[in-house]
Amino acid sequence: MELLDRLEMAEVEETLKRLQSQKRVQVIMVVNTEGIPIKSTMDNPTTTQYANLMHNFILKAWSTVREIDPQNDLTFLQIRSKKNEIMIAPDKNYFLIVIQDPTE
Amino acid sequence: MPQKQPPRRQSISVGRGTRKRDEDSGTEVGEGTDEWAQSKATVRPPDQLELTDAELKEEFTRILTANNPHAPQNIVRYSFKEGTYKLIGVVNQLAVHFSQVGNLIPKDSDEGRRQHYRDELAASSQESTKVVISETEILEEEEELKETEAETEAGSQTDMPVAEVAEKVTEEELMTPKQPKERKLTNKFNFSERASQTLNNPLRDRECQMEPPPRTNFSATANQWEIYDAYVEELEKQEKTKEKEKAKTPVAKKMGKMAMRKMTSMESQSDDITKVTQAAKIVERMVNQNTYDDVAQDFKYYEDAADEYRDQEGTLLPLWKFQNDKAKRLAVTALCWNPKYNDLFAVGHGSYDFMKQSQGMLLLYSMKNPSFPEYIFSSESGIMCLDMHVDHPYLVVVGHYDGNVAIYNLKKPHSQPSFRSSAKSGKHTDPVWQVRWQKDDMDNNLNFFSVSSDGRIVSWTLLKSELVHTDVIKLKAEGSTTDGLDGLQLHTMGCGTAFDFHKEIDYMFLVGTEEGKIYKCSKSYSSKFLDTYDAHNMAVDAVSWSPYHTKVFMSCSSDWTVKIWDHTIKTPMFIYDLNSAVGDVAWAPYSSTVFAAVTTNGKTHVFDLSINKYEAICSQPVVTKKKNKITHVQFNPIHPIIIVGDDRGHVICLKLSPNLRKMPKAQSRPSPPGVRAGQREEVQLPEE
């Protein structure tokens, strides 16, 4: 079991590293369900700000989806703006936030 | 009193009467009376009786009685006895002039005695206090005597003899010192109120305050999903209790508890990061989609408009390129699309080079994530072939260069292959060139076939986690039985390099050999071939039955040719020369006349027999570097794309342009027997 966990951890770490090395990916953040950032590639104040703002938004979106159909669940959230694209993948315990530059 | 005037004529008791001279005369006083009387003329009231002198001198006798003039003289009472009114003899003549209720009480009455007693006590107390001073005593006695006298006189109506008084005094002397003071009787004349204020004690507040209980704000919303979640939780709880009831063994319980404890402790220990795996996966895909956005768009929507003008030609649009660092040095030796998930495909890596044999890899990519494979497996020996089970898309069977076969279970991505053959369990002695899943046998065991250069076609069955092999056929090179020593007949084995099972006729399959022959075999006959085709001059690289034509199959070889056969005819129907060794051929799943072939010069050829029987409608170099040889090609069952693998470990995904995807026209007349729906009319045999 422990071995599996360690492998999983390594795998996830690797995945995150790959994500970071992808073209035009600017920021990767892991935020817990209360809006507290756990991991981030950005400096602390900006991270906190992002985490707070995102948290409200995510909860609203999730609540909306489930309100319409409680059996439904939010799998992915994407905010595309002029300058960048914020992608949020909600999980049971955490939110993974990736900010990418969408210019083609 | 002065002399009265002439006698009154009225009785004394009568107060009644008019005002008379009597009153005037009554007021006469002293000396002045005479004068007054004289000066004053007698006033006569007008109604006075006028009497003569004789009448005036007449004497009347008046008798003074004690009768009450107001009392009635004859009172009559009704007597019930006699029934008549009777005269009462004596009438009460008592007239009460004045009555007043006094506050004197008789001495002998209760109240009187009580008062007397009280007075005596009071007196004796006074005496006792002044016993010390003798003088005062005597005085007191005297005083007391006087007091008692006065009291007795006041308090009684009868006269008390002095002796009695003296007795009382002695009695008082003997009395106990305890005495209440003289009590003043209060009445409305004898009442005084006296009030006094006591000292008000200063008031003090005493309070006690406890620490307030901790308070938190609680707020919640009642949403549709909250209600739903609550219900689901409740359901789960109920189910759990049911399960617990069912599985009621104490040992199991203990085990369960231990496991639970372990689980919980493990969960708390494990790092937070692991729980983001799912999210990370999704994000990676999205990021890739953004990165390769144009490619994704092309994949979905791009249709080469120029195909309208190119009458009989098509193009292949390169989409994604899949590669992995670990498999950089390894060639792509096998490609297979997953039957269930149309975006998932498996790539087997190994090496065709006899000299340079290293490890092997099995990678599974998804089109959704072109940058990294979904699953990675590595093995010691190069992978030469693979196949995915149709019913169990998570089972992948793999054939190795060292002759082993293995089954990987995708549900357990971290483990080694679930099942593996070994030297004991009958592995091949030469590289396994092709493996194919078969339908589950009668006992519902999985089984597959493999063909190898050692000339054996082996059927493997998975029996309760063990691979059991059965030699189906031993390929004997025909005409090669030589007489050896002692009359033994040695058979040189043919080397199987490819095989394919018929789509409908289950037991029939084709085997291609290194010598260039193709044998049609049956599962039931182990030694005899159903048919033999002299197909090629060099080794047969691939054979493939047409998915639509039940009689047609195709073969390709390193002798630069692709041949299409009808299995009833010994000679091929079509021969195509492609100027380079052909690595692989594949039929298109959407059309019976389309197929693709890849050559070692890096070109991909697509043929459509309905458009052009003699030439490819598309010949396109798809690999960047010139020395790159393409090894395999596969059509995607659903999407109009093909994947092409080269010997540098890259897999390129290409989109077929519309010309290459021409679907057959709907059949106007009923299809002849032996021809599956959706296929073209029988193509005429070309001239050789």
Side-chain angles (χ1 to χ4, degrees):
Chain A
M1 282 294 284
E2 265 194 50
L3 189 67
L4 251 171
D5 286 333
R6 265 189 241 141
L7 284 169
E8 261 189 58
M9 220 171 86
E11 197 187 292
V12 175
E13 292 279 357
E14 219 194 282
T15 314
L16 292 178
K17 251 190 268 175
R18 263 186 285 126
L19 270 174
Q20 184 66 39
S21 63
Q22 279 268 337
K23 279 186 280 177
R24 301 190 294 250
V25 168
Q26 292 164 351
V27 178
I28 298 182
M29 265 199 309
V30 178
V31 178
N32 81 345
T33 43
E34 284 162 29
I36 301 165
I38 292 174
K39 204 177 178 213
S40 171
T41 58
M42 257 197 315
D43 57 287
N44 207 11
T46 334
T47 305
T48 330
Q49 187 194 30
Y50 261 101
N52 269 327
L53 295 166
M54 289 298 140
H55 179 243
N56 286 329
F57 186 73
I58 295 165
L59 283 181
K60 192 75 189 174
W62 183 80
S63 172
T64 311
V65 167
R66 290 211 74 204
E67 183 81 23
I68 294 167
D69 179 9
Q71 290 179 331
N72 205 352
D73 200 6
L74 184 68
T75 38
F76 200 75
L77 201 54
Q78 231 173 336
I79 306 170
R80 202 171 181 125
S81 69
K82 262 199 261 183
K83 295 191 185 170
N84 53 18
E85 178 163 358
I86 302 167
M87 288 178 279
I88 303 157
D91 196 50
K92 201 171 52 171
N93 305 313
Y94 299 96
F95 304 128
L96 178 61
I97 302 172
V98 174
I99 303 179
Q100 195 188 17
D101 185 14
T103 53
E104 288 144 34
Chain B
M1 293 287 289
Q3 290 177 343
K4 297 232 171 169
Q5 287 291 323
R8 297 183 203 152
R9 294 194 186 169
Q10 289 167 332
S11 69
I12 309 166
S13 59
V14 175
R16 172 169 40 135
T18 57
R19 257 177 286 145
K20 297 275 175 335
R21 280 175 181 183
D22 313 330
E23 286 172 340
D24 293 336
S25 58
T27 54
E28 282 176 347
V29 188
E31 296 173 342
T33 51
D34 285 340
E35 289 176 351
W36 189 72
Q38 285 172 1
S39 62
K40 200 177 177 187
T42 53
V43 178
R44 274 189 171 203
D47 56 352
Q48 196 181 33
L49 271 174
E50 295 206 356
L51 297 168
T52 58
D53 285 335
E55 283 177 353
L56 284 168
K57 281 182 184 172
E58 196 181 328
E59 283 190 10
F60 285 90
T61 321
R62 297 268 176 233
I63 304 166
L64 200 67
T65 60
N67 287 342
N68 184 3
H70 292 289
Q73 281 155 351
N74 44 356
I75 295 179
V76 180
R77 287 260 150 80
Y78 184 76
S79 164
F80 286 92
K81 197 175 173 185
E82 286 157 31
T84 55
Y85 285 97
K86 267 181 92 177
L87 195 69
I88 290 176
V90 179
V91 177
N92 194 6
Q93 301 293 318
L94 183 69
V96 177
H97 293 280
F98 175 75
S99 74
Q100 187 199 5
V101 179
N103 58 358
L104 303 175
I105 42 177
K107 233 182 180 179
D108 295 332
S109 70
D110 289 335
E111 185 56 41
R113 282 202 201 105
R114 254 185 265 141
Q115 277 192 12
H116 199 71
Y117 176 71
R118 255 186 266 128
D119 296 338
E120 280 173 2
L121 284 175
S124 65
S125 74
Q126 283 183 2
E127 277 185 1
S128 64
T129 51
K130 292 170 185 177
V131 161
V132 180
I133 308 165
S134 58
E135 288 180 348
T136 50
E137 242 187 52
I138 297 163
L139 277 168
E140 281 290 299
E141 279 182 33
E142 287 179 354
E143 283 176 4
E144 282 200 354
L145 270 168
K146 284 181 189 171
E147 280 179 0
T148 49
E149 276 181 14
E151 276 179 17
T152 46
E153 278 178 7
S156 65
Q157 286 172 358
T158 57
D159 291 326
M160 290 287 286
V162 181
E164 286 183 15
V165 170
E167 281 175 16
K168 285 238 165 156
V169 170
T170 51
E171 281 176 21
E172 286 173 8
E173 282 178 6
L174 292 166
M175 286 234 177
T176 53
K178 275 191 209 168
Q179 284 178 50
K181 282 189 183 169
E182 269 187 40
R183 265 189 59 206
K184 244 185 180 175
L185 297 169
T186 53
N187 54 26
K188 52 187 164 197
F189 307 111
N190 191 16
F191 180 72
S192 68
E193 196 177 327
R194 248 202 302 174
S196 69
Q197 176 135 24
T198 56
L199 180 68
N200 282 339
N201 289 326
L203 289 174
R204 208 163 269 185
D205 270 332
R206 244 237 159 112
E207 286 174 1
C208 180
Q209 187 170 31
M210 289 184 294
E211 217 178 274
R215 270 185 278 184
T216 50
N217 274 335
F218 174 76
S219 68
T221 48
N223 280 334
Q224 196 68 26
W225 49 267
E226 288 211 19
I227 297 167
Y228 176 79
D229 281 346
Y231 273 113
V232 167
E233 244 185 74
E234 194 61 41
L235 236 160
E236 278 174 15
K237 268 187 201 170
Q238 281 179 6
E239 278 175 18
K240 267 186 186 172
T241 50
K242 274 185 194 170
E243 280 178 24
K244 275 183 186 172
E245 280 170 26
K246 279 183 188 172
K248 252 189 182 174
T249 51
V251 178
K253 263 191 181 172
K254 275 189 190 169
M255 287 294 291
K257 277 185 192 168
M258 286 294 288
M260 277 299 289
R261 266 184 241 144
K262 265 194 179 172
M263 276 292 288
T264 45
S265 65
M266 283 306 297
E267 281 172 22
S268 58
Q269 279 171 19
S270 69
D271 204 339
D272 301 327
I273 272 294
T274 52
K275 295 190 182 148
V276 202
T277 29
Q278 196 61 30
K281 225 178 198 176
I282 296 173
V283 169
E284 201 183 351
R285 288 188 180 184
M286 288 312 296
V287 167
N288 274 307
Q289 190 182 44
N290 279 334
T291 320
Y292 298 108
D293 186 42
D294 47 352
V295 176
Q297 299 283 340
D298 284 345
F299 158 69
K300 259 291 181 178
Y301 305 116
Y302 180 76
E303 305 291 352
D304 199 347
D307 267 12
E308 286 178 10
Y309 309 106
R310 284 193 288 240
D311 207 7
Q312 291 189 342
E313 280 178 9
T315 49
L316 294 166
L317 179 71
L319 295 173
W320 298 289
K321 192 170 179 185
F322 301 89
Q323 61 195 5
N324 193 306
D325 286 340
K326 290 180 194 164
K328 232 179 188 174
R329 284 162 276 109
L330 301 169
V332 171
T333 54
L335 289 173
C336 185
W337 285 100
N338 191 302
K340 190 176 176 190
Y341 299 105
N342 296 316
D343 59 289
L344 188 68
F345 63 90
V347 181
H349 289 276
S351 175
Y352 284 119
D353 200 340
F354 176 69
M355 300 306 292
K356 291 185 203 166
Q357 277 299 315
S358 59
Q359 51 154 357
M361 291 204 73
L362 174 66
L363 302 173
L364 280 105
Y365 281 97
S366 164
M367 291 196 309
K368 296 174 189 170
N369 186 353
S371 57
F372 201 75
E374 301 288 313
Y375 302 97
I376 305 176
F377 301 96
S378 67
S379 63
E380 294 159 350
S381 166
I383 293 174
M384 302 311 292
C385 55
L386 63 90
D387 193 26
M388 289 199 196
H389 202 289
V390 175
D391 297 325
H392 309 280
Y394 51 89
L395 289 175
V396 179
V397 67
V398 153
H400 290 289
Y401 197 89
D402 60 358
N404 275 316
V405 289
I407 299 176
Y408 286 89
N409 189 339
L410 294 180
K411 284 188 180 174
K412 300 171 196 172
H414 292 293
S415 55
Q416 287 299 304
S418 326
F419 311 102
R420 224 181 129 79
S421 71
S422 61
K424 275 192 289 178
S425 59
K427 75 174 185 72
H428 290 278
T429 50
D430 267 344
V432 180
W433 290 103
Q434 193 86 320
V435 281
R436 275 274 188 271
W437 281 109
Q438 299 298 302
K439 286 192 199 142
D440 288 356
D441 65 3
M442 285 191 280
D443 297 329
N444 285 336
N445 289 323
L446 304 164
N447 69 336
F448 62 93
F449 273 63
S450 68
V451 67
S452 158
S453 304
D454 64 354
R456 283 162 54 222
I457 297 175
V458 178
S459 156
W460 302 82
T461 317
L462 195 66
L463 282 175
K464 292 180 191 176
S465 80
E466 258 189 20
L467 275 177
V468 176
H469 84 284
T470 329
D471 277 7
V472 175
I473 288 182
K474 283 206 171 96
L475 298 168
K476 272 181 287 179
E478 281 193 16
S480 58
T481 50
T482 50
D483 290 321
L485 300 163
D486 303 332
L488 282 170
Q489 285 195 323
L490 292 169
H491 302 273
T492 45
M493 303 295 273
C495 309
T497 51
F499 72 172
D500 193 19
F501 286 82
H502 198 275
K503 302 286 185 282
E504 283 177 5
I505 305 168
D506 210 21
Y507 55 84
M508 191 160 76
F509 62 95
L510 294 164
V511 184
T513 60
E514 222 173 275
E515 297 84 38
K517 289 199 173 53
I518 298 177
Y519 302 110
K520 187 167 70 175
C521 316
S522 163
K523 282 188 200 174
S524 23
Y525 297 104
S526 63
S527 51
K528 272 279 189 181
F529 306 126
L530 293 174
D531 216 342
T532 316
Y533 309 91
D534 284 322
H536 294 276
N537 302 320
M538 287 182 75
V540 177
D541 280 331
V543 281
S544 177
W545 285 101
S546 165
Y548 293 101
H549 275 279
T550 49
K551 289 185 187 176
V552 174
F553 69 90
M554 186 166 60
S555 69
C556 76
S557 153
S558 314
D559 67 355
W560 297 10
T561 57
V562 173
K563 296 186 182 178
I564 300 180
W565 310 74
D566 181 329
H567 76 96
T568 51
I569 302 168
K570 288 274 189 174
T571 49
M573 291 196 286
F574 291 94
I575 303 173
Y576 298 98
D577 190 324
L578 296 175
N579 286 330
S580 177
V582 184
D584 198 7
V585 277
W587 287 101
Y590 49 83
S591 168
S592 62
T593 53
V594 178
F595 64 91
V598 282
T599 55
T600 47
N601 61 357
K603 279 194 181 175
T604 307
H605 307 266
V606 181
F607 292 80
D608 189 342
L609 297 172
S610 57
I611 297 174
N612 191 333
K613 283 187 217 168
Y614 307 105
E615 276 179 353
I617 50 172
C618 170
S619 283
Q620 188 174 321
V622 288
V623 264
T624 45
K625 291 189 181 165
K626 284 220 168 161
K627 279 197 175 174
N628 216 341
K629 301 173 205 164
I630 309 181
T631 49
H632 283 277
V633 69
Q634 281 283 315
F635 278 86
N636 185 312
I638 306 287
H639 303 291
I641 51 176
I642 55 171
I643 41 170
V644 168
D646 63 9
D647 71 343
R648 287 255 194 273
H650 303 144
V651 177
I652 302 156
C653 184
L654 302 148
K655 185 165 183 182
L656 301 159
S657 69
N659 270 350
L660 304 173
R661 286 190 265 133
K662 282 204 177 147
M663 301 286 262
K665 290 177 201 163
Q667 296 241 308
S668 51
R669 49 191 170 87
S671 51
V675 170
R676 293 222 319 244
Q679 65 176 26
R680 297 275 296 180
E681 302 164 27
E682 279 279 345
V683 180
Q684 301 229 344
L685 291 174
E687 302 126 19
E688 283 231 68

